[in-house]
Amino acid sequence: MSKTYLTLSALMAGIVAVHVFMGGPQYAVPFMQELSTPDLRAMSQVLWHAVTVALILVALAYLWLGFQNNRALFVFTSVLQLGWAMLFLYYGVTQMGELATQPQWVLFLGFPAGACWAEGRRNSSQL
């Protein structure tokens, strides 16, 4: 059992709660008010909820990794989050000229770093 992965799972569940309860009013509601067509509004909702589903699945993946060694799942969750981090970094710099307004990139670098640490501990305990 990996306490590190179980901790990452619990933290990611917390991120899900923040996304749903704090991000919704801040981002999702204005999207619905500002987007000009039903198609754009529906697509924004699909994308918003797709992120929610992905975050939930990452939390569950970390829970699974807490009990099972699965290199492919570790790599997938890490690459997915690194991709999100790169998106936040790219658009923060190119659209806003700064990184403080949307600091989610820190989380999406931190979680894979924690997972790498968990994998290293798991591998060292198997020697």
Side-chain angles (χ1 to χ4, degrees), residues 24-74:
Q26 185 178 359
Y27 294 105
V29 172
F31 291 160
M32 294 302 293
Q33 295 168 345
E34 296 294 324
L35 293 172
S36 60
T37 67
D39 181 49
L40 288 174
R41 288 189 295 272
M43 183 56 71
S44 76
Q45 290 295 291
V46 167
L47 294 172
W48 183 263
H49 293 298
V51 170
T52 306
V53 169
L55 291 171
I56 290 168
L57 291 175
V58 171
L60 292 173
Y62 283 151
L63 182 62
W64 180 266
L65 287 166
F67 297 99
Q68 300 292 322
N69 187 1
N70 187 321
R71 185 94 173 139
L73 189 57
F74 154 70

Side-chain angles (χ1 to χ4, degrees), residues 11 75 82 103 125:
L11 290 171
V75 170
L82 291 172
S125 69

